[in-house]
Amino acid sequence: MRRPVIAGNWKMNMTSQQARTWVNQFKALVADVSSADIVVCPPHVLLSQVCNDLQGTGFKVGAQNMHWEDEGAYTGETSPAMLKDVGCSHVLLGHSERRALFGETDQHVNKKLHAALNNNITPVLCVGETLEQREQGETEQVCKTQVMAGLAQVSEQLPRVVIAYEPVWAIGTGRTATPEDAQAVIGFIRGLLRENWDTADSVAILYGGSVKPDNIDGLMAQQDIDGVLVGGASLDPQGFARIVKYE
């Protein structure tokens, strides 16, 4: 039985005081939740603070990106060791915004994924198609390419990876794949993993893309959807708490 994962990606939002207020409100709202892994992904400058503020709650903290090298002359970058040092357990890799806006390639993502695994950080591998690719019937091919390239040379460590299917056309647009559409693609990804790894059924696969309190229940009712990666809705502690308490 795969354990659900509910992750919130704050993107480039929140000041230190806003983050502290959010954490205090959220902790009170979900103090009784223990049935899922709850992961909060704040901006890098808030990682240490949020890790400290969530200490002892059982909730986890993830970074939104990282470099694959342990140290070096990489101005503006953050290493896996630095993330571990402040208390991070997860890291988002290959988010569509990183791919589209900052030129990240599948090869970059794969190097980061191995660095995360080597440093005992759970990588959340993000994959998904654009609207143009979807309309041209390329959804499965795009996802296959991104999954297989991102997981290249991964073998026995596969169960430590989380995959997040995020159709680019649904991120921050208010448009959401129907639960059935999300299940179809995530089911395809599950089948792809099964074709290549014996441990495929141990991998949590999440859906992301305009996840909200009013669509979480339908998404989580699907057979192969093990959780969600939430963007804008995670900035509201009450809304995110409702997502965490899906029915």
Side-chain angles (χ1 to χ4, degrees):
M1 185 74 177
R2 295 181 295 271
R3 182 172 171 83
V5 178
I6 310 295
N9 177 13
W10 291 1
K11 305 191 179 184
M12 197 175 70
N13 293 287
M14 298 270 195
T15 63
S16 59
Q17 185 54 55
Q18 289 171 331
R20 182 147 289 150
T21 299
W22 186 99
V23 167
N24 289 335
Q25 292 178 0
F26 183 70
K27 286 194 297 186
L29 291 166
V30 297
D32 58 338
V33 175
S34 60
S35 58
D37 284 343
I38 301 172
V39 186
V40 180
C41 300
H44 275 63
V45 294
L46 298 176
L47 287 172
S48 181
Q49 173 186 311
V50 174
C51 283
N52 287 334
D53 289 350
L54 288 176
Q55 196 165 20
T57 64
F59 305 149
K60 303 176 187 300
V61 178
Q64 298 175 18
N65 184 38
M66 70 171 202
H67 200 275
W68 56 82
E69 294 288 355
D70 288 337
E71 59 183 12
Y74 302 100
T75 300
E77 293 291 334
T78 305
S79 74
M82 293 173 183
L83 298 184
K84 287 292 293 183
D85 184 57
V86 298
C88 289
S89 60
H90 290 64
V91 62
L92 305 181
L93 300 177
H95 191 281
S96 63
E97 291 160 1
R98 298 297 311 174
R99 295 176 189 262
L101 300 178
F102 302 101
E104 288 195 7
T105 66
D106 289 327
Q107 290 68 39
H108 291 146
V109 174
N110 179 248
K111 291 168 74 171
K112 293 179 180 185
L113 186 139
H114 281 281
L117 291 172
N118 290 339
N119 284 272
N120 200 31
I121 298 173
T122 298
V124 181
L125 171 62
C126 301
V127 302
E129 82 283 9
T130 65
L131 179 59
E132 181 181 5
Q133 290 167 332
R134 183 177 184 84
E135 291 177 340
Q136 293 179 355
E138 299 173 353
T139 295
E140 291 187 354
Q141 184 56 53
V142 169
C143 289
K144 179 178 181 179
T145 297
Q146 292 179 345
V147 168
M148 296 307 294
L151 295 177
Q153 305 303 314
V154 173
S155 53
E156 71 277 357
Q157 294 187 353
L158 181 70
R160 296 175 50 204
V161 177
V162 174
I163 296 176
Y165 166 60
E166 291 197 301
V168 179
W169 50 270
I171 299 175
T173 64
R175 299 178 59 178
T176 310
T178 66
E180 293 75 20
D181 285 342
Q183 165 60 33
V185 180
I186 289 176
F188 167 77
I189 294 173
R190 178 84 60 203
L192 181 65
L193 296 179
R194 286 173 177 154
E195 290 174 7
N196 293 275
W197 289 274
D198 293 336
T199 54
D201 287 334
S202 300
V203 178
I205 306 180
L206 318 182
Y207 170 76
S210 296
V211 176
K212 298 180 176 65
D214 60 5
N215 61 28
I216 182 63
D217 297 340
L219 290 166
M220 291 302 295
Q222 303 303 307
Q223 178 179 354
D224 287 297
I225 298 180
D226 303 313
V228 287
L229 177 55
V230 187
S234 71
L235 298 176
D236 171 23
Q238 291 188 331
F240 192 49
R242 169 61 182 88
I243 291 170
V244 166
K245 295 182 173 184
Y246 67 88
E247 298 177 357

